[in-house]
Every structure is written in structure tokens, then in C-alpha cells.
Amino acid sequence: MERPELPLAQLHAFVVLAEELHFGHAAARLGIAQPPLSQQIRRLEDKVGHALFSREPGRVTLTPAGRELLPAARRALADLADGLAAARAAGSGRAGRLRIGFAASLALTVLPGLLRDFRQRFPGVRLDIREMTTAPQLAALCDKSIDIGLLREPPADEAELSFRTILTEPFVAVLPAAHPLAAQRTVRLAQLAGSPFVLLPRAAGPRLHDQIVGLCAAAGFTPQVAQHAVEWQTVCALVETGLGVSLAPASIRRIRLKGVAFRGIEPGAARTRVAVGWRTHDRNPLVAHLLATVSQDRPDVSQPPQPGHDALP
Amino acid sequence: MERPELPLAQLHAFVVLAEELHFGHAAARLGIAQPPLSQQIRRLEDKVGHALFSREPGRVTLTPAGRELLPAARRALADLADGLAAARAAGSGRAGRLRIGFAASLALTVLPGLLRDFRQRFPGVRLDIREMTTAPQLAALCDKSIDIGLLREPPADEAELSFRTILTEPFVAVLPAAHPLAAQRTVRLAQLAGSPFVLLPRAAGPRLHDQIVGLCAAAGFTPQVAQHAVEWQTVCALVETGLGVSLAPASIRRIRLKGVAFRGIEPGAARTRVAVGWRTHDRNPLVAHLLATVSQDRPDVSQPPQPGHDALP
DNA sequence: CCGCTCCATACCTCTAGAGATATCAGGCGA
DNA sequence: TCGCCTGATATCTCTAGAGGTATGGAGCGG
């Protein structure tokens, strides 16, 4: 790429003169005297190396060189005016692009409402939304390929990142409908000791995985994982086939499968957190906007299960 | 249209830094020291009103405002580089647009060869070709809406315009095939006195019209025009129907109609001229190129008619 | 011929910015 | 801790150009 040769002020004067085809009128339109305009055009012509205007008695016309330069000058001036407006809008937080990563299960809880509210308040902002499990979200936040992460069980020791809990929800047992424990309203964790488990891999969400395993340990057993699945929807489908049972965040009740029963657990004090994450020193105003939207938008899903939701045997 | 706010040199530096994301490397690439680059970017940021780069320990990244400005800056710089190259090419005669007007009958003579040769020699030049009769061509040359005119019988008294004869051709009589005179190889003009004529209106080509009328007058009669037609092809079609006879430039023999006979005339000394016209003081190098091409490209159509061309009764 | 219009040229002042050198401050790694 | 890397800041010189005023030359019309 070479250095630009033509000054924009001169190109602007050129365009105005090309429209007026009269040095006096163009000078008045530019708010200057005629001789300085004459000099400006001369300087531009010297830089191009050819006359851009033909000066005849009684009229000024464009030369072929001038006719070639005019559309390019117009386009460039317009490009820059647009780009400057867009840069200012982005800088002030009225426009721009916000890149959001989210864990799949959050599509069942906070994501829809948050996106709706944000779009309503900031229609000029383009949202780039990508599904990613927790660990990849943390990496993407650090390397700046996303601006916002929506995830579960945020880490406590990320130096560059900050997190804020949006909501907490209890766990539920996920059982095949025909499972003997499905007949109960609530399941004691110890009762699950004899059943194989279907769980997400630790790598997908280390803290959530460890929390679930920890609950089982507190109940006196280590879950025997028969199958891993990255998505909670897949977990439910495998449970439905009778492959095993699971422990999951309560919001997955929204996944409605005939052959799956969701039951409250005892002890029921444990909760899993949903959080928004961002780079601590990120000054992007859109990030601040989204955090503000999250703070005003806190749906409560800690209500008890409603009758009719589960497939009763 | 407002004045441009951002200097191109600063935008150029911005683009290079956005590519390198390292002040030292970008400065080296620009051929300056790092502090001046730092100052330049600062000045640009002050003009935009927002930081364009985020400076963190160990790395430089674009802000949202910077990300919005980058494509616009790139486009504008490219537009101007292209426009400047096009202006220079047009100014030096390597490229640009040439607007040519031509009388329809010249499509039967000089036009195809001229266009072919010119395109071969100047492939970068766009040709804008419009069919116009002689009088509109003269007006368009004067008001600069065409650069070149190809016409017949150029005027002798146009102050701003110059003309050069490309070729001359004799006249032929245009007769219905069943006309008694069609049996002759050559027709004396006086023999046409009793027949109605089909001619182009004087307004379409005053001098050609007057030349034809003058030939008849020299032969002792004034042609009785039964019908006018602007195109020679239409003239031939009307002659074919038996509506009348005509006198026309010899090249219209190329219009092949079964029911039309073309015959040489006596006296046969008169010739009609085909000329190229241009504005005398036009400095457009493409005009010079075309005039040069015309000078090297002089097909000779003054040969006698070849057997088999005419419909014999 | 004279007055007016139109664009060019000459000369002037002022300013912004381009680029330089010198230096500082912060962070990182050995 | 020290050395190195990186970007910022301070200060300086120089130049191009932006815009002004005054004037000149050409052409046109009354």
C-alpha cells in the first residue's frame, strides 16, 4: 500500500467545483474567496499531473481526467464520512458489534429474555451470538474473540475476567419414566447410588461437573458414569432410553420428553449459578450496556416444580 | 456535503498499524520513527473522539470504534488510488471514454473498420457510440456531449469545429427493379425527371440534400419529392414499393433488397464526402488518437460496381 | 470604447502537522 | 534487580498549504 497522494480538502473542493462548473459559485459554496479556490485546484492538478478542468471563455468543463477522478473522489469522501459516523457510534455505545458466547442450556433460561431486552434498548448494535461450553468461553474472553460469556459456575481465579451471577437454580434428578424412583415426588441422593449415570464431560464445564460429583460424594457414593454427553438435551435423551440417571440444573425441565421424569432431590440446598463474564478492563461501552441489561433482567426460576410437568407412571 | 475531517496520511498510518498491531513494526513499515507514529494516531483519535486502539501490556488491539473505521479507511484509500490511476490514464490518453456520433449510413462504410482498428490500438478506452444525423452531431460537438462526429458533407463555416474528409464516393440512382430505367446499366439524370423522388429531409443533412437537389437542377429539373425518410434503408424500402426513385451515396448498395436496382449516373463526376469532425481546440488525447487512426485507415470504395450486385429484370 | 464578469497570478501571514531526537514509565523475563 | 522492549510525552524544526488581498488579462455585451 502506497501513501495517499491527494489531500481530501482538495478533493472536496474539486467535487464542489465539478458540480458548480463556476469558480465563483463553488468558492462561495465552500465559504472562501475565488483565488484560493483557483490555487487549490491548481495544486490538485499539479499532483495528478493533468488538468482536471478546461477553462474556456464563459464556461468551465471537466476534462477526461477530471471525469475519471470525480466518481472516485465522491465515493472516498462518502466512505470516510460513513466510517467516521460508524466509529463514533461504536465509540459512544450506540452502535457496533457485541460478540456473545453462551452455554447451550442457557438458551432454556436467561438468554432469550436478555437478547430481547437488549435488542429493544440498543437496536443499532449488532449481536454476534455463538454457542460454546464454559471452558472455550473463558479462552475466547481472554483472547478477545468474544466480548461477553454466559456460563455456569464461573471460576474463582481468572485474573483478567470478572463474573457476575445472574441467577441460581437447584438441581433435579433426571430419571427414566419407568424408573422405580420416578414414582416418588422427591428423590434422596443416596437412592441414586445403584444407578449408572449420564453426565457431561468434565472438560465441558469443570466446576459444574465437580459440583455434581461432589453432591454424590456427600451422599456417600461416586457416580458411575455410563455415558458422557456435551448437551443436556442429549443427556435427557440417553436417560429416556434407560441408559442411566442424571443430576442437572432445574431449568432443563423445559426439555420435554415423554419418557423422562424430573424429580427434586434431598438434600435440596445445593444450587448451580448462571453468570455473565467479561474482561475486567474492557472499556467497550456495549459491554457496560449488556451488564446493565442483565442487572435489570433477573427472572426467578427458583420456584417449586409445577404439577403436570412430569410423566407420571 | 461537509468538509472532510480526517487526513488521509493519518488514515493510512491507522490502516498499517491495524494490520501490524505493533507501533514499532508499523513505524518501520511506514519508514518513520515510533514516536511520530504514536503522535499521529493520537491526533487521529482526538479527531474521531474515541480511542481507536487499546494499548495493553504486551499487545495492541483495535477498539470497537477502530474496528468500524478500518474498512471505511481501506475502501477510501483504494477508491482514491484507483481514481488517481484512472485520471492519469485518461489524461495521458491510455484510457478514458470517447463519445462518437455517427450518421447511420456510415455503418455501411467507414465505421466498422474504424472501430475495430481503434479498439485494437487502444483497448483501455471505452467507446460510447451514438447514431445521430449530421445536424444533431454538430450541435453535440459544440456542447461537448460528443467528442467525435462521423458525418457527410461537413459544413464550411463552423467556427469551433474542424473536419477532415475520410473518403468520397459517387452517387447512384436507386430504382424499383421493375422500373424501365433499371434495364440500363447507367442512367442519365435527366431521365429521372418524370419520376417522383424519395429523399431524406433537408433538416437531417442540409448539405447532402442540397447537393442531390443541385445535381437534379444541373440536369434541368427539380425533383418532386413524394416521400421523405431519415434513413437510407427506409428510402430503399420505399423505392422498392414503387413509390419513387432516389439518388444516394454509392455505399448504400450494401443494402440488399430484391426489388431495388442501383445504377450509375451520368454525368458521374459528383461525389459525396464522408468526414470526421471534432472541436478544433479539444486537447483530449483520445481525440488525437482517433484522428490518427482515421488517417491510417482509408478504405477505397471508389471502385466500379461489381456484377451481380443488382437485381436485373 | 467602457464596464463588468470570470479566472489566474503574485505575494503575504499563519497554522497544523510531519518527522526528528531525547527521555520517561511500565511491564516482563532471566 | 537489571536489562530489554514497548508505547507515550516533551520539545524542536521545517514545510506545505489554507486563505487572504491586490491585481492582471481575456472576453462579452451595451
Side-chain angles (χ1 to χ4, degrees), chain A residues 228-249:
Chain A
H228 289 118
V230 175
E231 309 277 358
W232 283 114
Q233 180 135 346
T234 310
V235 169
C236 293
L238 293 176
V239 167
E240 184 184 32
T241 65
L243 201 58
V245 298
S246 195
L247 285 177

Side-chain angles (χ1 to χ4, degrees), chain B residues 2-313:
Chain B
E2 300 197 340
R3 298 202 165 168
E5 293 184 51
L6 309 179
L8 281 174
Q10 287 176 18
L11 288 164
H12 174 59
F14 163 69
V15 169
V16 170
L17 179 59
E19 288 170 359
E20 299 285 338
L21 294 178
H22 185 292
F23 276 80
H25 297 162
R29 203 168 129 197
L30 291 161
I32 60 174
Q34 173 263 320
L37 175 61
S38 196
Q39 293 161 4
Q40 252 189 332
I41 297 296
R42 173 99 266 163
R43 280 194 293 264
L44 183 60
E45 285 174 332
D46 289 345
K47 288 190 175 71
V48 171
H50 298 280
L52 300 171
F53 293 99
S54 176
R55 287 92 154 160
E56 297 167 37
R59 69 176 164 173
V60 174
T61 54
L62 277 163
T63 62
R67 287 202 288 274
E68 294 290 327
L69 185 60
L70 183 60
R74 279 198 168 120
R75 259 192 324 262
L77 289 163
D79 284 340
L80 286 181
D82 293 345
L84 180 58
R88 285 177 175 156
S92 63
R94 283 179 284 110
R97 188 165 64 127
L98 194 62
R99 300 157 304 175
I100 301 174
F102 72 99
S105 62
L106 303 193
L108 304 171
T109 62
V110 299
L111 190 64
L114 175 60
L115 295 186
R116 188 193 59 235
D117 290 348
F118 188 84
R119 280 196 172 113
Q120 234 174 354
R121 297 177 62 194
F122 303 101
V125 179
R126 299 188 299 276
L127 295 178
D128 180 3
I129 302 151
R130 307 176 210 167
E131 182 178 320
M132 312 162 88
T133 55
T134 298
Q137 281 192 58
L138 300 179
L141 280 168
C142 288
D143 72 26
K144 292 199 173 187
S145 51
I146 62 172
D147 304 304
I148 291 282
L150 293 169
L151 45 85
R152 290 183 184 280
E153 300 305 326
D157 58 351
E158 285 282 354
E160 298 181 50
L161 307 180
S162 295
F163 301 93
R164 185 193 301 162
T165 300
I166 305 178
L167 61 84
T168 62
E169 54 182 331
F171 287 92
V172 291
V174 188
L175 310 170
H179 197 278
L181 296 177
Q184 304 176 189
R185 185 72 183 263
T186 306
V187 178
R188 281 187 299 106
L189 280 180
Q191 288 173 309
L192 299 178
S195 303
F197 267 68
V198 183
L199 273 189
L200 73 167
R202 187 176 189 274
R207 274 156 293 276
L208 180 59
H209 178 273
D210 291 350
Q211 193 178 13
I212 290 169
V213 170
L215 288 180
C216 296
F221 72 100
T222 297
Q224 305 301 314
V225 180
Q227 181 71 43
H228 288 117
V230 174
E231 310 277 359
W232 283 113
Q233 183 138 342
T234 310
V235 169
C236 293
L238 294 177
V239 166
E240 185 185 31
T241 65
L243 201 58
V245 299
S246 194
L247 284 177
S251 57
I252 71 161
R253 279 197 180 105
R254 297 194 187 178
I255 301 173
R256 300 173 178 249
L257 286 178
K258 270 200 182 178
V260 177
F262 301 104
R263 295 290 178 267
I265 58 170
E266 298 275 359
R271 303 182 77 88
T272 177
R273 296 154 63 198
V274 174
V276 55
W278 71 99
R279 286 179 294 278
T280 305
H281 299 297
D282 195 338
R283 298 231 226 107
N284 184 354
L286 299 186
V287 168
H289 292 334
L290 190 120
L291 295 176
T293 304
V294 165
S295 297
Q296 296 171 5
D297 187 29
R298 310 202 65 164
D300 186 4
V301 292
S302 56
Q303 295 159 2
Q306 295 170 4
H309 275 206
D310 305 323
L312 294 173

Side-chain angles (χ1 to χ4, degrees), chain A residues 43-65:
Chain A
R43 282 195 291 264
L44 183 59
E45 284 173 330
D46 288 346
K47 289 190 174 70
V48 172
H50 299 278
L52 299 171
F53 293 98
S54 176
R55 287 95 153 158
E56 297 169 37
R59 70 174 167 175
V60 174
T61 54
L62 279 162
T63 61

